[in-house]
Amino acid sequence: MNRKKFIRTCTAGCVGLLVAPVFLQGCAGTKYITAPIEGSDIIVPLSAFEKVKDDVIQYLRYVVVQNDTLQFPICVYRISEESYSALWMKCTHQGTELHVFGDKLQCPAHGSEFTKSGAVQQGPAEDPLRSFPVLVSESVLKINLR
Ligand code: FES
């Protein structure tokens, strides 16, 4: 290995070490749950958003909800105690399943990005994500799939 190739290899390795935690953090923070469907609603317990740390209840910003009968998962954002946003994780460009990173959803196919309300933040997608009405009912969310 010559000097130039050695420096290039070392630089790539260092950059990789610096960038990797950012991606790992995005994946590690995602909680997936499987939720039942009752009638036209998928039922998500509010406790799915809870995380106990040092005996204090904290709340996850989002949870990814799955069910075997659904072709794509649904990303449910907790906007506030009374307000949630439920988004179909199917890219509106060509239908690839989205990944969630914090407050945005990204498409691994061509790089489209969507906000936590489903609006397009970066193309090539032009249309917002499909969203579902969410009803907060006692200890559960009822997400209407119609
Ligand atoms: S399929 Fe998502 S950007 Fe193309």
Side-chain angles (χ1 to χ4, degrees), residues 91-96 98 107-112 114 123-125:
C91 183
T92 56
H93 179 229
Q94 292 180 356
T96 301
L98 300 171
C107 181
H110 312 108
S112 287
F114 302 87

Side-chain angles (χ1 to χ4, degrees), residues 41-88:
D41 297 335
I42 188 162
I43 309 296
V44 178
L46 290 173
S47 60
F49 291 86
E50 294 177 357
K51 180 176 79 172
V52 179
K53 187 175 182 184
D54 299 329
D55 293 331
V56 176
I57 296 177
Q58 299 177 337
Y59 294 94
L60 299 171
R61 287 186 295 170
Y62 61 87
V63 169
V64 175
V65 178
Q66 303 169 312
N67 182 288
D68 287 345
T69 63
L70 297 178
Q71 195 178 3
F72 290 88
I74 296 170
C75 186
V76 183
Y77 279 98
R78 183 182 190 273
I79 311 298
S80 70
E81 190 176 344
E82 304 288 322
S83 176
Y84 293 81
S85 160
L87 302 170
W88 191 232

Side-chain angles (χ1 to χ4, degrees), residues 2-24:
N2 65 28
R3 183 173 184 264
K4 192 174 182 179
K5 193 172 181 181
F6 174 76
I7 291 171
R8 198 177 300 154
T9 303
C10 288
T11 303
C14 289
V15 170
L17 286 174
L18 291 172
V19 173
V22 173
F23 290 107
L24 291 174

